[in-house]
Amino acid sequence: MEEYDYSDVKPLPIETDLQDELCRIMYTEDYKRLMGLARALISLNELSPRALQLTAEIIDVAPAFYTIWNYRFNIVRHMMSESEDTVLYLNKELDWLDEVTLNNPKNYQIWSYRQSLLKLHPSPSFKRELPILKLMIDDDSKNYHVWSYRKWCCLFFSDFQHELAYASDLIETDIYNNSAWTHRMFYWVNAKDVISKVELADELQFIMDKIQLVPQNISPWTYLRGFQELFHDRLQWDSKVVDFATTFIGDVLSLPIGSPEDLPEIESSYALEFLAYHWGADPCTRDNAVKAYSLLAIKYDPIRKNLWHHKINNLN
Amino acid sequence: MSGSLTLLKEKHIRYIESLDTKKHNFEYWLTEHLRLNGIYWGLTALCVLDSPETFVKEEVISFVLSCWDDKYGAFAPFPRHDAHLLTTLSAVQILATYDALDVLGKDRKVRLISFIRGNQLEDGSFQGDRFGEVDTRFVYTALSALSILGELTSEVVDPAVDFVLKCYNFDGGFGLCPNAESHAAQAFTCLGALAIANKLDMLSDDQLEEIGWWLCERQLPEGGLNGRPSKLPDVCYSWWVLSSLAIIGRLDWINYEKLTEFILKCQDEKKGGISDRPENEVDVFHTVFGVAGLSLMGYDNLVPIDPIYCMPKSVTSKFKKYPYK
């Protein structure tokens, strides 16, 4: 790391009249020194290599301190305009940011900073972003900011070509990953007008295969309902899906509703809920819906019994 | 069972009181960027526990004013930091709780309002500061702050409402921005923003049913609430989910007894405070959202809290309701 001279800068100290604990003093003093220098340089609006270096050191210690990100962005924008090769300069900044990103998976300033850099970049590339996105998701497959950033990239670059396969991979790895299921829906919403009959059928098969693997998993059931709603004008699978869902609830619908202990276990309460929702929409099957909701309230999802009673009241 | 667990009110009050005396702690300096928010969380928890006098009012107000960023005309989390929407809301909430908004004075109030309005973008969303981090949290923050100041206008409200409605998802939840995955904290910021704007009627009955379903689906069999499907429970969702359900009038879709038990199990019985889940380290953030959640469920005569503003109802009942007459 390059050494810069800050001896001409008069630090603006943090106001404090407190004595530091001995064991903390070294670390704290160093941090205070950095912050004092930063405050001074910010107040002078110095946009220089040494100011840039200082922001890196502070981000290293306190990455959530947003003021320093603002300041760094101003420095980068200025130095970029003075550099001979803007693309090279910004790519170097992105390289630095990749390192910081890997060390700070929970930080979210990073992602809006990254968006600002890409907007500034004369020739931004989605391809360049894919490795860091992959590393971050490998590290935490439900990282909210990383997923949001990935979607932002798809829209920013108008490029969805990797998304369906990527969502499939993540679902293969963890079938409960709601972020991946949601991303899949994001893909279809954006492919709504170009989806083919074959793709529709394939997608239904994909959903059913995943539910078959783990029936008691809320994400694909919610996804199934959402997918049906999205393509309601082009789909006629009602009976196929209903028959499929029915395979997970045994024969409970034909049993008398007695005490919870007398009722058998079923493979999926979400299947029962899905069916209740479906049956409730048609007056001919309303009785089945009432029974399904009653079973949820009594036995299969009793923690939400007030919701199920509300649904029954609505049907009556 | 919750019958054998009780809320350790006195311990929680002492825990919150102790926080600001830890200035020798390195953590204290690292969390400068959250200091004003922290004071709001602490004060609100104390209000719910009916012990606001634990903080010295004059000292808190004077600290709030020392966080004024004169360059941008709003509040920073700490003296000499940059102004930010989130901390500006905290400052306004603290002052309103103390019935002390007058200390702003006319000039500061005018600049504050223009700072908040100035951060609104063309699509109706808000950025947190001039750097441009955008999400529905900031829409809520801006509308809440303007509402507390009695300064909402249709120029601000209408596009903000449009933006919030775009964050509604197919599953009945709300995301951080359009297309983002549904998240319980975002349900609160979106529904809170709509409630403040008096625009909950923009949601259809079917949508309200779906939203209510998505929210109560967050309760796990063991009682706690999670923020997204298949994630672990966390006490802070006792606030984000319950307040959202309260706003749409479906609070009873949650099983109170089980959730109460979960929150009470997250208390530190020795030093006070509430953690995210049992056995973890406590902090003021989870403490306020734990007691606020209990207040919404009417637990043990806690001081009633307003689900829209996350402030005592006795304070918010004085706010002007939008649209202004």
Side-chain angles (χ1 to χ4, degrees):
Chain A
M1 200 181 280
E2 221 171 314
E3 285 288 334
Y4 288 100
D5 181 15
Y6 300 95
S7 56
D8 59 308
V9 184
K10 188 169 177 292
L12 285 176
I14 306 170
E15 282 162 4
T16 167
D17 50 3
L18 296 148
Q19 309 228 318
D20 294 291
E21 256 186 313
L22 277 175
C23 59
R24 297 281 192 189
I25 199 159
M26 294 302 290
Y27 204 13
T28 311
E29 283 305 324
D30 192 38
Y31 178 66
K32 281 196 211 160
R33 182 187 67 83
L34 291 172
M35 291 303 289
L37 283 174
R39 279 159 216 252
L41 292 184
I42 290 171
S43 73
L44 299 167
N45 197 29
E46 180 175 312
L47 308 175
S48 66
R50 70 173 180 177
L52 189 73
Q53 171 62 31
L54 188 66
T55 62
E57 285 183 49
I58 291 173
I59 285 167
D60 202 31
V61 195
F65 178 31
Y66 58 86
T67 298
I68 217 70
W69 287 100
N70 293 358
Y71 182 41
R72 187 174 178 94
F73 185 71
N74 291 339
I75 300 169
V76 165
R77 192 166 47 189
H78 173 76
M79 287 177 52
M80 174 198 89
S81 65
E82 300 214 320
S83 74
E84 285 172 10
D85 188 337
T86 318
V87 170
L88 191 71
Y89 184 80
L90 284 175
N91 284 347
K92 248 179 66 189
E93 180 66 5
L94 285 167
D95 290 344
W96 170 81
L97 190 59
D98 285 352
E99 284 295 315
V100 180
T101 307
L102 289 172
N103 293 328
N104 296 282
K106 288 282 176 195
N107 178 286
Y108 50 82
Q109 271 86 6
I110 286 171
W111 302 102
S112 54
Y113 184 72
R114 197 176 272 280
Q115 290 178 7
S116 302
L117 286 181
L118 290 194
K119 287 188 212 161
L120 205 58
H121 203 294
S123 52
S125 139
F126 196 0
K127 208 173 149 200
R128 201 211 157 281
E129 298 304 296
L130 289 173
I132 185 76
L133 279 166
K134 182 173 182 321
L135 281 170
M136 295 304 288
I137 290 296
D138 287 349
D139 177 61
D140 171 8
S141 63
K142 298 174 184 178
N143 188 317
Y144 195 91
H145 291 280
V146 181
W147 279 110
S148 299
Y149 177 70
R150 189 174 178 110
K151 287 177 181 153
W152 180 86
C153 282
C154 293
L155 295 166
F156 181 71
F157 294 106
S158 300
D159 182 352
F160 296 82
Q161 60 172 317
H162 308 287
E163 302 316 302
L164 194 61
Y166 186 66
S168 300
D169 283 353
L170 267 288
I171 291 167
E172 291 298 336
T173 314
D174 175 9
I175 204 163
Y176 293 99
N177 187 340
N178 192 61
S179 304
W181 283 102
T182 307
H183 196 70
R184 202 172 178 90
M185 183 60 77
F186 168 75
Y187 171 81
W188 287 120
V189 167
N190 285 282
K192 193 171 188 268
D193 299 330
V194 292
I195 189 170
S196 68
K197 267 191 177 168
V198 175
E199 284 172 317
L200 272 172
D202 285 352
E203 189 61 11
L204 176 63
Q205 197 55 51
F206 177 88
I207 304 167
M208 295 201 299
D209 287 348
K210 297 308 164 202
I211 290 175
Q212 194 74 56
L213 274 175
V214 183
Q216 186 63 3
N217 176 10
I218 186 169
S219 295
W221 286 105
T222 308
Y223 178 85
L224 173 60
R225 230 171 66 187
F227 194 77
Q228 277 186 308
E229 272 162 33
L230 183 64
F231 294 109
H232 64 92
D233 51 341
R234 273 165 278 178
L235 288 175
Q236 274 123 19
W237 330 314
D238 274 7
S239 63
K240 186 172 179 181
V241 173
V242 169
D243 289 348
F244 172 73
T246 311
T247 62
F248 301 105
I249 64 162
D251 56 356
V252 289
L253 214 61
S254 58
L255 297 174
I257 301 182
S259 62
E261 301 83 56
D262 297 336
L263 288 161
E265 295 302 322
I266 58 173
E267 280 190 86
S268 174
S269 67
Y270 300 124
L272 190 57
E273 187 184 335
F274 180 89
L275 289 166
Y277 182 83
H278 174 82
W279 287 326
D282 181 353
C284 303
T285 47
R286 192 159 291 176
D287 289 349
N288 277 350
V290 171
K291 180 143 190 193
Y293 284 132
S294 306
L295 288 165
L296 285 164
I298 291 163
K299 167 84 176 179
Y300 300 108
D301 193 28
I303 203 161
R304 270 168 280 281
K305 67 170 190 286
N306 288 354
L307 168 69
W308 308 129
H309 288 150
H310 164 84
K311 296 281 182 201
I312 293 168
N313 283 340
N314 275 0
L315 288 173
N316 293 331
Chain B
M1 283 308 289
S2 55
S4 59
L5 289 165
T6 52
L7 182 66
L8 307 166
K9 288 187 188 176
E10 196 51 38
K11 289 225 160 120
H12 298 322
I13 292 167
R14 297 285 84 84
Y15 165 72
I16 295 163
E17 185 181 29
S18 76
L19 289 175
D20 212 41
T21 57
K22 288 182 181 157
K23 293 181 185 169
H24 55 275
N25 192 324
F26 183 56
E27 272 297 302
Y28 181 89
W29 297 111
L30 278 188
T31 56
E32 268 180 13
H33 65 280
L34 286 172
R35 187 58 35 80
L36 208 51
N37 312 63
I39 293 174
Y40 156 71
W41 295 327
L43 177 63
T44 303
L46 290 172
C47 287
V48 173
L49 295 164
D50 202 13
S51 182
E53 70 286 353
T54 301
F55 280 174
V56 181
K57 176 177 170 180
E58 291 70 28
E59 282 177 17
V60 174
I61 292 176
S62 133
F63 179 76
V64 169
L65 291 178
S66 76
C67 293
W68 176 257
D69 173 355
D70 202 49
K71 191 172 166 196
Y72 295 105
F75 287 97
F78 201 77
R80 290 190 186 164
H81 281 221
D82 279 6
H84 195 284
L85 262 184
L86 292 176
T87 43
T88 294
L89 173 62
S90 293
V92 170
Q93 286 170 315
I94 294 165
L95 294 178
T97 301
Y98 280 132
D99 196 15
L101 283 168
D102 289 349
V103 300
L104 283 174
K106 200 177 165 195
D107 280 0
R108 264 193 297 228
K109 189 177 167 187
V110 168
R111 293 193 64 197
L112 195 59
I113 293 161
S114 107
F115 171 86
I116 300 169
R117 289 183 184 153
N119 276 310
Q120 191 166 26
L121 305 175
E122 265 179 29
D123 62 358
S125 67
F126 280 82
Q127 54 187 1
D129 54 25
R130 18 177 237 306
F131 185 47
E133 196 189 331
V134 176
D135 70 49
T136 49
R137 280 182 310 161
F138 302 135
V139 177
Y140 171 80
T141 308
L143 292 194
S144 179
L146 288 173
S147 166
I148 293 169
L149 295 166
E151 296 287 346
L152 289 169
T153 56
S154 59
E155 291 78 14
V156 169
V157 168
D158 296 348
V161 166
D162 289 344
F163 179 80
V164 165
L165 292 172
K166 280 188 205 139
C167 299
Y168 178 76
N169 285 324
F170 74 95
D171 56 7
F174 290 88
L176 193 80
C177 53
N179 304 310
E181 184 182 359
S182 297
H183 190 291
Q186 262 57 51
F188 166 76
T189 57
C190 291
L191 293 170
L194 292 176
I196 287 168
N198 201 14
K199 289 284 169 66
L200 282 170
D201 58 5
M202 301 286 279
L203 298 166
S204 69
D205 288 347
D206 283 350
Q207 281 178 316
L208 289 171
E209 285 284 300
E210 286 296 300
I211 294 166
W213 169 82
W214 189 88
L215 287 165
C216 77
E217 189 59 50
R218 304 280 56 76
Q219 189 163 31
L220 300 166
E222 50 278 34
L225 307 173
N226 62 16
R228 291 184 265 164
S230 306
K231 297 277 281 186
L232 292 171
D234 182 322
V235 159
C236 68
Y237 298 114
S238 311
W239 175 256
W240 310 121
V241 174
L242 285 189
S243 59
S244 301
L245 283 166
I247 289 170
I248 60 168
R250 286 160 172 83
L251 195 52
D252 67 334
W253 289 6
I254 289 292
N255 182 316
Y256 287 7
E257 195 186 337
K258 290 244 180 188
L259 178 58
T260 301
E261 186 185 338
F262 175 77
I263 298 172
L264 295 178
K265 274 186 188 161
C266 294
Q267 300 180 104
D268 185 323
E269 291 179 9
K270 289 206 182 84
K271 68 171 179 186
I274 298 174
S275 59
D276 57 354
R277 56 189 78 96
E279 313 302 330
N280 283 0
E281 190 57 36
V282 300
D283 59 60
V284 66
F285 177 84
H286 290 92
T287 304
V288 64
F289 292 131
V291 297
L294 291 172
S295 165
L296 281 181
M297 293 188 286
Y299 179 86
D300 196 16
N301 296 319
L302 288 171
V303 172
I305 191 148
D306 188 319
I308 300 170
Y309 293 95
C310 196
M311 294 166 70
K313 275 193 170 168
S314 56
V315 174
T316 61
S317 61
K318 293 180 221 145
F319 296 165
K320 273 201 289 178
K321 298 281 172 278
Y322 183 83
Y324 307 133
K325 295 213 168 68

